[in-house]
Amino acid sequence: QRQMCIRDSNIPASLPKEQADAIKAEEKAYSQRLQREGKWLHIWRVAGLYANVSIFDVADNQELHDILTALPLYPFMTISVQPLCRHPSSVNS
């Protein structure tokens, strides 16, 4: 199942910079591992925001839930998920 996820992160200004930087580094490593595994197909930055749009390829909603809640930045995120299906006019898979 392909799912589109829009994530907006709001790291509190009160969080020490060193701690925020460490969480961001963990997030990057985790997301890149999932990309290499083929679970996280695409990630795009939303211009002008600390937000992104991602496409995941997961077995089911539970797997997506598990992936998202394991994100190191999850406690600071607002997330919107949209299930996707192939459009009949698409020439790409």
Side-chain angles (χ1 to χ4, degrees):
Q1 292 181 343
R2 296 218 172 153
Q3 310 250 0
M4 180 180 69
C5 177
I6 301 169
R7 302 180 313 133
D8 187 11
S9 299
N10 186 15
I11 300 171
S14 60
L15 192 68
K17 182 183 180 331
E18 299 79 26
Q19 188 176 356
D21 289 346
I23 294 170
K24 289 177 195 177
E26 289 176 38
E27 178 98 358
K28 182 176 182 178
Y30 178 63
S31 71
Q32 289 180 342
R33 178 175 59 84
L34 290 169
Q35 289 173 66
R36 284 190 290 277
E37 292 173 359
K39 294 292 179 184
W40 197 322
L41 300 181
H42 303 282
I43 183 170
W44 295 277
R45 170 77 64 212
V46 177
L49 300 175
Y50 192 61
N52 67 62
V53 175
S54 298
I55 305 295
F56 292 89
D57 189 7
V58 292
D60 53 31
N61 292 334
Q62 185 62 54
E63 183 180 17
L64 181 62
H65 174 80
D66 294 343
I67 287 170
L68 294 175
T69 57
L71 289 164
L73 286 171
Y74 178 77
F76 312 111
M77 290 182 176
T78 301
I79 300 173
S80 172
V81 175
Q82 295 293 318
L84 301 174
C85 57
R86 183 177 164 86
H87 192 282
S89 298
S90 176
V91 295
N92 298 315
S93 57

Coordinates of all heavy atoms in Angstrom, one line a residue:
Q1 N 0.8 -1.2 0.0 CA 0.0 0.0 0.0 C 0.9 1.2 0.0 O 1.8 1.3 0.8 CB -0.9 0.0 1.2 CG -1.9 -1.0 1.3 CD -2.8 -0.9 2.6 OE1 -2.4 -0.2 3.5 NE2 -3.9 -1.5 2.6
R2 N 0.6 2.1 -0.9 CA 1.3 3.4 -0.9 C 0.5 4.4 -0.1 O -0.7 4.5 -0.3 CB 1.5 3.9 -2.3 CG 2.5 2.9 -3.0 CD 3.4 3.5 -3.9 NE 4.3 2.5 -4.4 CZ 5.0 2.6 -5.5 NH1 4.8 3.6 -6.3 NH2 5.8 1.6 -5.9
Q3 N 1.2 5.2 0.7 CA 0.6 6.2 1.5 C 1.4 7.5 1.4 O 2.6 7.5 1.4 CB 0.6 5.7 3.0 CG 0.0 4.3 3.2 CD -1.3 4.3 3.8 OE1 -1.9 5.3 4.2 NE2 -1.9 3.1 4.0
M4 N 0.6 8.6 1.3 CA 1.3 9.9 1.4 C 1.2 10.5 2.8 O 0.1 10.4 3.4 CB 0.6 10.9 0.4 CG 1.3 12.2 0.4 SD 0.5 13.4 -0.7 CE -1.1 13.7 0.1
C5 N 2.2 11.0 3.3 CA 2.3 11.5 4.6 C 2.8 13.0 4.5 O 3.9 13.2 4.0 CB 3.2 10.7 5.5 SG 3.4 11.2 7.1
I6 N 2.1 13.9 5.1 CA 2.6 15.3 5.2 C 2.9 15.5 6.7 O 2.1 15.3 7.6 CB 1.5 16.3 4.8 CG1 1.1 16.0 3.4 CG2 2.0 17.7 5.0 CD1 -0.2 16.7 2.9
R7 N 4.2 15.8 6.9 CA 4.7 16.0 8.3 C 5.2 17.4 8.5 O 5.9 17.9 7.7 CB 5.8 15.0 8.6 CG 5.4 13.6 8.4 CD 6.6 12.6 8.7 NE 7.8 13.0 8.1 CZ 9.0 13.1 8.7 NH1 9.1 12.7 10.0 NH2 10.1 13.4 8.1
D8 N 4.7 18.0 9.6 CA 5.2 19.3 10.0 C 5.8 19.2 11.4 O 5.1 18.7 12.3 CB 4.0 20.3 10.0 CG 4.4 21.7 10.2 OD1 5.6 22.0 10.1 OD2 3.5 22.6 10.4
S9 N 7.0 19.6 11.5 CA 7.7 19.5 12.8 C 7.7 20.9 13.5 O 8.0 21.9 12.8 CB 9.1 19.0 12.6 OG 9.1 17.7 12.1
N10 N 7.5 20.9 14.8 CA 7.6 22.1 15.6 C 8.4 21.8 16.8 O 7.8 21.5 17.9 CB 6.1 22.6 15.9 CG 6.2 23.9 16.6 OD1 7.1 24.6 16.6 ND2 5.0 24.2 17.2
I11 N 9.7 21.9 16.7 CA 10.6 21.7 17.8 C 10.5 22.9 18.7 O 10.8 24.0 18.3 CB 12.0 21.4 17.3 CG1 12.0 20.2 16.4 CG2 13.0 21.2 18.5 CD1 13.4 19.9 15.7
P12 N 10.3 22.7 20.0 CA 10.2 23.8 20.9 C 11.5 24.6 21.0 O 12.6 24.0 21.1 CB 9.8 23.2 22.3 CG 9.5 21.8 22.0 CD 10.0 21.4 20.7
A13 N 11.4 25.9 21.0 CA 12.6 26.7 21.2 C 13.3 26.5 22.5 O 14.5 26.7 22.6 CB 12.2 28.2 21.0
S14 N 12.6 26.0 23.5 CA 13.2 25.7 24.8 C 14.0 24.4 24.8 O 14.8 24.2 25.7 CB 12.0 25.5 25.8 OG 11.2 24.5 25.5
L15 N 13.9 23.6 23.7 CA 14.8 22.4 23.7 C 16.2 22.8 23.4 O 16.5 23.6 22.4 CB 14.2 21.5 22.6 CG 14.8 20.1 22.5 CD1 14.3 19.3 23.8 CD2 14.4 19.4 21.3
P16 N 17.2 22.4 24.2 CA 18.6 22.8 24.0 C 19.0 22.4 22.6 O 18.6 21.3 22.0 CB 19.3 22.0 25.0 CG 18.3 21.7 26.1 CD 17.0 21.6 25.4
K17 N 19.8 23.3 21.9 CA 20.2 23.1 20.5 C 20.9 21.7 20.4 O 20.7 21.0 19.4 CB 21.1 24.2 20.1 CG 21.6 24.1 18.6 CD 22.6 25.2 18.3 CE 23.1 25.1 16.8 NZ 23.2 23.8 16.2
E18 N 21.8 21.3 21.3 CA 22.5 20.1 21.2 C 21.5 18.9 21.2 O 21.7 17.9 20.4 CB 23.5 19.9 22.4 CG 24.6 21.0 22.4 CD 24.1 22.3 23.1 OE1 23.1 22.3 23.9 OE2 24.6 23.3 22.7
Q19 N 20.5 19.0 22.0 CA 19.5 17.9 22.0 C 18.7 17.9 20.7 O 18.5 16.8 20.2 CB 18.6 18.1 23.2 CG 17.7 16.9 23.4 CD 16.8 17.1 24.7 OE1 16.9 18.0 25.5 NE2 15.9 16.1 24.9
A20 N 18.3 19.0 20.2 CA 17.6 19.1 19.0 C 18.4 18.6 17.8 O 17.9 17.8 17.0 CB 17.1 20.5 18.7
D21 N 19.7 18.9 17.8 CA 20.6 18.5 16.7 C 20.7 17.0 16.8 O 20.8 16.3 15.7 CB 21.9 19.2 16.8 CG 21.9 20.6 16.4 OD1 20.9 21.1 15.8 OD2 22.9 21.3 16.7
A22 N 20.8 16.4 18.0 CA 21.0 14.9 18.1 C 19.7 14.2 17.6 O 19.8 13.2 16.9 CB 21.3 14.6 19.6
I23 N 18.5 14.8 18.0 CA 17.3 14.1 17.5 C 17.2 14.2 16.0 O 16.8 13.2 15.3 CB 16.1 14.8 18.2 CG1 16.1 14.6 19.7 CG2 14.8 14.4 17.5 CD1 15.1 15.4 20.5
K24 N 17.6 15.4 15.4 CA 17.5 15.5 13.9 C 18.5 14.5 13.3 O 18.2 13.9 12.2 CB 17.9 16.9 13.5 CG 16.8 17.9 13.9 CD 17.3 19.3 13.5 CE 16.5 20.4 14.1 NZ 17.1 21.8 13.8
A25 N 19.7 14.3 13.9 CA 20.6 13.3 13.3 C 20.1 11.9 13.4 O 20.2 11.1 12.4 CB 21.9 13.4 14.0
E26 N 19.4 11.5 14.5 CA 18.8 10.2 14.6 C 17.7 10.1 13.5 O 17.5 9.0 12.9 CB 18.2 10.1 16.0 CG 19.1 9.9 17.1 CD 18.4 9.8 18.5 OE1 17.3 9.2 18.5 OE2 19.0 10.4 19.4
E27 N 16.9 11.1 13.4 CA 15.8 11.1 12.4 C 16.3 10.9 11.0 O 15.8 10.1 10.2 CB 15.1 12.5 12.4 CG 13.9 12.6 11.5 CD 12.6 12.3 12.1 OE1 12.5 12.0 13.3 OE2 11.6 12.4 11.3
K28 N 17.4 11.6 10.6 CA 18.0 11.4 9.3 C 18.5 10.0 9.1 O 18.2 9.4 8.0 CB 19.2 12.4 9.1 CG 19.8 12.4 7.8 CD 20.9 13.4 7.6 CE 21.5 13.4 6.3 NZ 22.5 14.5 6.1
A29 N 19.2 9.5 10.1 CA 19.7 8.1 9.9 C 18.5 7.1 9.8 O 18.6 6.2 8.9 CB 20.5 7.7 11.1
Y30 N 17.5 7.3 10.6 CA 16.3 6.4 10.5 C 15.6 6.5 9.2 O 15.3 5.5 8.5 CB 15.4 6.7 11.7 CG 14.1 5.9 11.7 CD1 14.1 4.6 11.9 CD2 12.9 6.6 11.6 CE1 12.9 3.8 12.0 CE2 11.7 5.8 11.7 CZ 11.7 4.5 11.9 OH 10.5 3.8 12.0
S31 N 15.4 7.7 8.7 CA 14.7 7.9 7.4 C 15.5 7.3 6.3 O 15.0 6.7 5.3 CB 14.3 9.3 7.2 OG 15.4 10.1 6.9
Q32 N 16.8 7.5 6.3 CA 17.7 7.0 5.2 C 17.7 5.5 5.2 O 17.7 4.9 4.2 CB 19.1 7.6 5.3 CG 19.0 9.1 4.9 CD 20.4 9.8 5.0 OE1 21.3 9.3 5.6 NE2 20.5 10.9 4.3
R33 N 17.7 4.9 6.4 CA 17.6 3.4 6.5 C 16.3 2.9 5.8 O 16.3 2.0 5.0 CB 17.7 2.9 7.9 CG 17.6 1.4 8.0 CD 17.8 0.9 9.4 NE 16.9 1.4 10.4 CZ 15.7 0.9 10.7 NH1 15.2 -0.1 10.0 NH2 14.9 1.4 11.6
L34 N 15.2 3.5 6.2 CA 13.9 3.2 5.6 C 13.9 3.4 4.1 O 13.3 2.6 3.3 CB 12.8 3.9 6.3 CG 12.5 3.5 7.7 CD1 11.5 4.5 8.4 CD2 12.0 2.1 7.8
Q35 N 14.6 4.4 3.6 CA 14.6 4.7 2.2 C 15.4 3.5 1.5 O 15.0 3.0 0.4 CB 15.3 6.0 1.9 CG 14.4 7.2 2.3 CD 15.1 8.5 2.2 OE1 15.4 8.9 1.0 NE2 15.3 9.2 3.3
R36 N 16.5 3.2 2.1 CA 17.3 2.1 1.5 C 16.6 0.8 1.5 O 16.7 -0.1 0.6 CB 18.7 1.9 2.3 CG 19.7 3.0 1.9 CD 21.1 2.7 2.5 NE 21.1 2.8 3.9 CZ 21.3 4.0 4.6 NH1 21.4 5.1 3.9 NH2 21.3 4.0 5.9
E37 N 15.7 0.6 2.5 CA 14.9 -0.7 2.6 C 13.7 -0.7 1.7 O 13.0 -1.7 1.5 CB 14.4 -0.9 4.0 CG 15.5 -1.2 5.0 CD 15.1 -1.2 6.5 OE1 13.9 -1.0 6.7 OE2 15.9 -1.4 7.3
G38 N 13.4 0.5 1.0 CA 12.3 0.6 0.1 C 11.0 0.9 0.7 O 9.9 0.8 0.1
K39 N 11.0 1.2 2.0 CA 9.7 1.5 2.7 C 9.4 3.0 2.5 O 8.2 3.4 2.5 CB 9.8 1.2 4.2 CG 10.0 -0.2 4.5 CD 8.7 -0.9 4.2 CE 8.8 -2.4 4.5 NZ 7.6 -3.1 4.1
W40 N 10.4 3.9 2.5 CA 10.2 5.3 2.4 C 10.6 5.6 0.9 O 11.8 5.8 0.7 CB 11.0 6.0 3.4 CG 10.7 7.4 3.7 CD1 10.3 8.4 2.8 CD2 10.8 8.1 4.9 NE1 10.1 9.6 3.4 CE2 10.4 9.4 4.8 CE3 11.1 7.7 6.2 CZ2 10.3 10.3 5.8 CZ3 11.1 8.6 7.2 CH2 10.7 9.9 7.0
L41 N 9.7 5.7 0.0 CA 10.0 5.8 -1.4 C 10.5 7.2 -1.8 O 11.4 7.4 -2.6 CB 8.8 5.5 -2.3 CG 8.2 4.1 -2.1 CD1 7.0 3.9 -3.0 CD2 9.3 3.0 -2.3
H42 N 9.8 8.3 -1.3 CA 10.1 9.7 -1.7 C 10.0 10.6 -0.5 O 9.2 10.3 0.4 CB 9.2 10.2 -2.8 CG 9.2 9.3 -4.0 ND1 10.2 9.4 -4.9 CD2 8.3 8.4 -4.4 CE1 9.9 8.6 -5.9 NE2 8.8 7.9 -5.6
I43 N 10.8 11.6 -0.5 CA 10.7 12.7 0.6 C 11.0 14.0 -0.1 O 12.0 14.1 -0.8 CB 11.5 12.4 1.8 CG1 11.3 13.5 2.9 CG2 13.0 12.3 1.4 CD1 12.0 13.1 4.2
W44 N 10.0 15.0 0.1 CA 10.2 16.3 -0.5 C 10.1 17.3 0.6 O 9.1 17.2 1.5 CB 9.2 16.6 -1.6 CG 9.3 15.8 -2.8 CD1 10.1 15.9 -3.8 CD2 8.5 14.6 -3.1 NE1 9.9 15.0 -4.8 CE2 9.0 14.1 -4.3 CE3 7.5 13.9 -2.4 CZ2 8.4 13.0 -4.9 CZ3 7.0 12.8 -3.0 CH2 7.4 12.3 -4.2
R45 N 10.9 18.3 0.6 CA 10.7 19.4 1.6 C 9.6 20.3 1.1 O 9.5 20.6 -0.1 CB 12.1 20.2 1.6 CG 12.0 21.5 2.4 CD 12.0 21.5 3.9 NE 13.2 20.9 4.4 CZ 13.3 20.2 5.5 NH1 12.2 20.0 6.2 NH2 14.4 19.7 5.9
V46 N 8.8 20.9 2.0 CA 7.8 21.9 1.6 C 8.5 23.2 1.7 O 9.0 23.6 2.7 CB 6.6 21.8 2.6 CG1 5.6 22.9 2.2 CG2 5.9 20.5 2.5
A47 N 8.6 23.9 0.6 CA 9.4 25.1 0.5 C 8.9 26.1 1.5 O 7.7 26.4 1.7 CB 9.2 25.7 -0.9
G48 N 9.9 26.7 2.2 CA 9.6 27.7 3.2 C 9.2 27.2 4.6 O 9.0 28.0 5.5
L49 N 9.0 25.9 4.8 CA 8.6 25.3 6.0 C 9.5 24.2 6.5 O 10.3 23.7 5.7 CB 7.2 24.7 5.9 CG 6.0 25.6 5.4 CD1 4.8 24.8 5.2 CD2 5.8 26.7 6.4
Y50 N 9.4 23.9 7.8 CA 10.1 22.8 8.3 C 9.2 21.6 8.3 O 8.7 21.1 9.3 CB 10.7 23.0 9.7 CG 11.7 22.0 10.2 CD1 12.8 21.7 9.5 CD2 11.4 21.2 11.3 CE1 13.7 20.8 9.9 CE2 12.3 20.2 11.7 CZ 13.4 20.0 11.0 OH 14.3 19.0 11.4
A51 N 8.8 21.3 7.1 CA 7.8 20.2 6.8 C 8.2 19.4 5.6 O 9.0 19.9 4.8 CB 6.4 20.8 6.6
N52 N 7.6 18.3 5.4 CA 7.9 17.5 4.2 C 6.7 16.7 3.8 O 5.7 16.5 4.6 CB 9.1 16.6 4.4 CG 8.9 15.5 5.4 OD1 8.1 14.6 5.2 ND2 9.7 15.5 6.5
V53 N 6.7 16.2 2.6 CA 5.7 15.3 2.0 C 6.5 14.0 1.7 O 7.6 14.1 1.0 CB 5.1 15.9 0.8 CG1 4.1 14.9 0.1 CG2 4.3 17.2 1.1
S54 N 6.0 12.9 2.1 CA 6.7 11.7 1.9 C 5.7 10.6 1.3 O 4.5 10.7 1.6 CB 7.3 11.1 3.2 OG 8.2 12.0 3.7
I55 N 6.3 9.7 0.5 CA 5.5 8.5 0.0 C 6.1 7.3 0.6 O 7.3 7.1 0.5 CB 5.6 8.5 -1.5 CG1 5.1 9.8 -2.2 CG2 4.8 7.3 -2.0 CD1 3.6 10.1 -1.9
F56 N 5.3 6.5 1.3 CA 5.7 5.2 1.9 C 5.1 4.1 1.1 O 4.0 4.2 0.6 CB 5.2 5.2 3.3 CG 5.9 6.2 4.2 CD1 5.4 7.4 4.4 CD2 7.1 5.8 4.9 CE1 6.0 8.3 5.2 CE2 7.7 6.7 5.8 CZ 7.2 8.0 5.9
D57 N 5.8 3.0 1.1 CA 5.2 1.7 0.6 C 5.3 0.7 1.7 O 6.3 0.2 2.1 CB 6.1 1.2 -0.6 CG 5.5 0.1 -1.3 OD1 4.3 -0.3 -1.0 OD2 6.2 -0.5 -2.2
V58 N 4.1 0.5 2.3 CA 4.0 -0.3 3.5 C 2.9 -1.5 3.3 O 2.1 -1.4 2.4 CB 3.6 0.5 4.7 CG1 4.7 1.5 5.1 CG2 2.3 1.3 4.5
A59 N 3.0 -2.5 4.1 CA 2.1 -3.6 4.0 C 0.7 -3.2 4.4 O -0.3 -3.7 3.8 CB 2.6 -4.8 4.8
D60 N 0.6 -2.3 5.4 CA -0.7 -2.0 5.9 C -0.6 -0.7 6.8 O 0.5 -0.2 7.0 CB -1.4 -3.1 6.7 CG -0.5 -3.7 7.8 OD1 0.3 -2.9 8.4 OD2 -0.6 -4.9 8.1
N61 N -1.8 -0.3 7.3 CA -1.8 0.9 8.1 C -1.0 0.8 9.4 O -0.4 1.7 9.9 CB -3.2 1.3 8.4 CG -4.0 1.8 7.2 OD1 -3.4 2.3 6.2 ND2 -5.3 1.6 7.2
Q62 N -1.0 -0.4 9.9 CA -0.2 -0.6 11.2 C 1.2 -0.4 11.0 O 1.9 0.1 11.8 CB -0.5 -2.0 11.7 CG 0.1 -2.3 13.1 CD -0.4 -1.3 14.2 OE1 -1.6 -1.3 14.4 NE2 0.5 -0.6 14.8
E63 N 1.8 -0.9 9.8 CA 3.2 -0.8 9.6 C 3.5 0.7 9.4 O 4.5 1.2 10.0 CB 3.6 -1.5 8.3 CG 5.1 -1.4 8.0 CD 5.6 -2.1 6.8 OE1 4.8 -2.4 5.9 OE2 6.8 -2.3 6.7
L64 N 2.7 1.5 8.7 CA 2.9 2.9 8.6 C 2.9 3.6 10.0 O 3.7 4.4 10.3 CB 1.9 3.6 7.7 CG 2.1 5.1 7.5 CD1 3.5 5.4 6.9 CD2 1.0 5.7 6.7
H65 N 1.9 3.2 10.8 CA 1.8 3.7 12.2 C 3.1 3.5 13.0 O 3.6 4.4 13.6 CB 0.6 3.1 12.9 CG 0.5 3.5 14.3 ND1 0.0 4.7 14.8 CD2 0.9 2.9 15.5 CE1 0.0 4.8 16.1 NE2 0.6 3.7 16.5
D66 N 3.6 2.2 12.9 CA 4.8 1.9 13.6 C 6.0 2.7 13.1 O 6.8 3.1 13.9 CB 5.1 0.4 13.4 CG 4.0 -0.5 14.1 OD1 3.3 0.0 15.0 OD2 3.9 -1.7 13.8
I67 N 6.1 2.9 11.8 CA 7.2 3.7 11.2 C 7.1 5.1 11.7 O 8.1 5.7 12.2 CB 7.2 3.6 9.7 CG1 7.7 2.3 9.2 CG2 8.0 4.7 9.1 CD1 7.5 2.0 7.7
L68 N 5.9 5.7 11.6 CA 5.8 7.1 12.0 C 6.0 7.3 13.5 O 6.7 8.3 13.9 CB 4.4 7.6 11.6 CG 4.2 7.7 10.1 CD1 2.7 8.1 9.8 CD2 5.2 8.6 9.4
T69 N 5.5 6.5 14.3 CA 5.6 6.7 15.8 C 7.0 6.4 16.3 O 7.4 6.8 17.3 CB 4.6 5.9 16.6 OG1 4.8 4.5 16.3 CG2 3.2 6.3 16.3
A70 N 7.8 5.7 15.4 CA 9.2 5.5 15.8 C 10.2 6.6 15.4 O 11.3 6.6 15.7 CB 9.7 4.2 15.2
L71 N 9.6 7.6 14.6 CA 10.4 8.7 14.2 C 10.9 9.5 15.4 O 10.1 9.8 16.3 CB 9.7 9.7 13.3 CG 9.4 9.2 11.9 CD1 8.3 10.0 11.2 CD2 10.6 9.2 11.0
P72 N 12.2 9.8 15.5 CA 12.7 10.5 16.7 C 12.0 11.9 16.9 O 11.8 12.4 18.0 CB 14.2 10.7 16.4 CG 14.5 9.5 15.6 CD 13.3 9.3 14.7
L73 N 11.6 12.5 15.8 CA 10.9 13.8 15.9 C 9.4 13.7 16.1 O 8.6 14.7 16.2 CB 11.1 14.7 14.7 CG 12.5 15.3 14.6 CD1 12.7 15.9 13.2 CD2 12.7 16.3 15.7
Y74 N 8.9 12.5 16.2 CA 7.4 12.2 16.3 C 6.7 13.1 17.4 O 5.7 13.6 17.1 CB 7.1 10.7 16.5 CG 5.7 10.4 16.7 CD1 4.8 10.4 15.6 CD2 5.1 10.2 17.9 CE1 3.5 10.1 15.7 CE2 3.8 9.9 18.1 CZ 3.0 9.9 17.0 OH 1.6 9.6 17.1
P75 N 7.3 13.2 18.6 CA 6.7 14.0 19.6 C 6.4 15.4 19.2 O 5.6 16.1 19.9 CB 7.6 13.9 20.8 CG 8.4 12.7 20.6 CD 8.6 12.6 19.1
F76 N 7.1 15.9 18.2 CA 7.0 17.3 17.9 C 6.3 17.5 16.5 O 6.3 18.6 15.9 CB 8.4 17.9 17.7 CG 9.3 17.7 18.9 CD1 10.4 16.8 18.8 CD2 9.0 18.2 20.2 CE1 11.2 16.6 19.9 CE2 9.8 17.9 21.3 CZ 10.9 17.1 21.2
M77 N 5.6 16.5 16.0 CA 5.0 16.5 14.7 C 3.5 16.6 14.7 O 2.8 16.1 15.6 CB 5.4 15.2 13.9 CG 6.8 15.1 13.6 SD 7.1 13.6 12.6 CE 8.8 13.8 12.2
T78 N 3.0 17.2 13.6 CA 1.7 17.1 13.2 C 1.7 16.3 11.9 O 2.5 16.7 11.0 CB 1.0 18.5 13.0 OG1 1.1 19.3 14.2 CG2 -0.4 18.4 12.5
I79 N 0.9 15.3 11.8 CA 1.0 14.4 10.7 C -0.4 14.2 10.0 O -1.4 14.0 10.7 CB 1.5 13.0 11.1 CG1 2.9 13.1 11.7 CG2 1.5 12.0 9.9 CD1 3.5 11.8 12.3
S80 N -0.4 14.2 8.7 CA -1.6 13.9 7.9 C -1.2 12.8 7.0 O -0.2 12.8 6.3 CB -2.0 15.1 7.2 OG -3.1 14.8 6.3
V81 N -2.1 11.7 6.9 CA -1.8 10.6 6.1 C -3.0 10.4 5.1 O -4.1 10.5 5.4 CB -1.7 9.3 6.9 CG1 -1.5 8.1 6.0 CG2 -0.5 9.4 7.9
Q82 N -2.6 10.2 3.8 CA -3.6 9.9 2.7 C -3.2 8.6 2.0 O -2.1 8.5 1.5 CB -3.5 11.1 1.7 CG -4.0 12.4 2.3 CD -5.5 12.4 2.6 OE1 -6.3 11.9 1.9 NE2 -5.8 13.0 3.7
P83 N -4.1 7.7 2.0 CA -3.8 6.4 1.2 C -3.9 6.8 -0.3 O -4.7 7.6 -0.7 CB -4.9 5.5 1.6 CG -6.0 6.3 2.3 CD -5.4 7.6 2.7
L84 N -3.0 6.1 -1.0 CA -2.9 6.4 -2.5 C -3.2 5.1 -3.2 O -2.9 4.0 -2.7 CB -1.5 6.9 -2.8 CG -1.0 8.1 -2.2 CD1 0.4 8.4 -2.5 CD2 -1.9 9.3 -2.5
C85 N -3.8 5.3 -4.4 CA -3.9 4.1 -5.3 C -3.6 4.6 -6.7 O -3.6 5.8 -7.0 CB -5.3 3.5 -5.3 SG -6.6 4.7 -5.6
R86 N -3.2 3.7 -7.5 CA -2.7 4.0 -8.9 C -3.9 4.6 -9.7 O -5.0 4.1 -9.7 CB -2.2 2.7 -9.5 CG -1.7 3.0 -10.9 CD -1.1 1.6 -11.5 NE -0.9 1.7 -12.9 CZ 0.2 2.2 -13.4 NH1 1.2 2.6 -12.7 NH2 0.3 2.2 -14.7
H87 N -3.6 5.7 -10.4 CA -4.6 6.3 -11.2 C -4.7 5.5 -12.5 O -3.6 5.2 -13.1 CB -4.2 7.8 -11.5 CG -5.3 8.6 -12.1 ND1 -5.6 8.5 -13.5 CD2 -6.2 9.4 -11.6 CE1 -6.7 9.3 -13.7 NE2 -7.0 9.9 -12.6
P88 N -5.9 5.3 -13.1 CA -6.0 4.5 -14.3 C -5.3 5.1 -15.5 O -5.0 4.4 -16.5 CB -7.5 4.3 -14.5 CG -8.1 5.4 -13.6 CD -7.2 5.7 -12.6
S89 N -5.1 6.4 -15.5 CA -4.4 7.1 -16.7 C -2.9 7.2 -16.5 O -2.3 7.7 -17.4 CB -5.0 8.5 -16.8 OG -6.4 8.5 -17.1
S90 N -2.4 6.7 -15.4 CA -0.9 6.8 -15.2 C -0.2 5.8 -16.1 O -0.5 4.7 -16.2 CB -0.6 6.5 -13.7 OG 0.8 6.5 -13.5
V91 N 1.0 6.3 -16.6 CA 1.8 5.5 -17.4 C 3.0 5.0 -16.6 O 3.8 4.1 -17.0 CB 2.4 6.2 -18.7 CG1 1.2 6.5 -19.6 CG2 3.2 7.4 -18.4
N92 N 3.1 5.4 -15.3 CA 4.2 5.1 -14.4 C 3.6 4.2 -13.3 O 2.4 4.3 -12.9 CB 4.8 6.3 -13.8 CG 5.5 7.1 -14.9 OD1 6.2 6.6 -15.7 ND2 5.2 8.4 -14.8
S93 N 4.4 3.4 -12.7 CA 4.0 2.5 -11.6 C 4.2 3.2 -10.3 O 4.8 4.2 -10.2 CB 4.7 1.2 -11.6 OG 6.1 1.4 -11.5

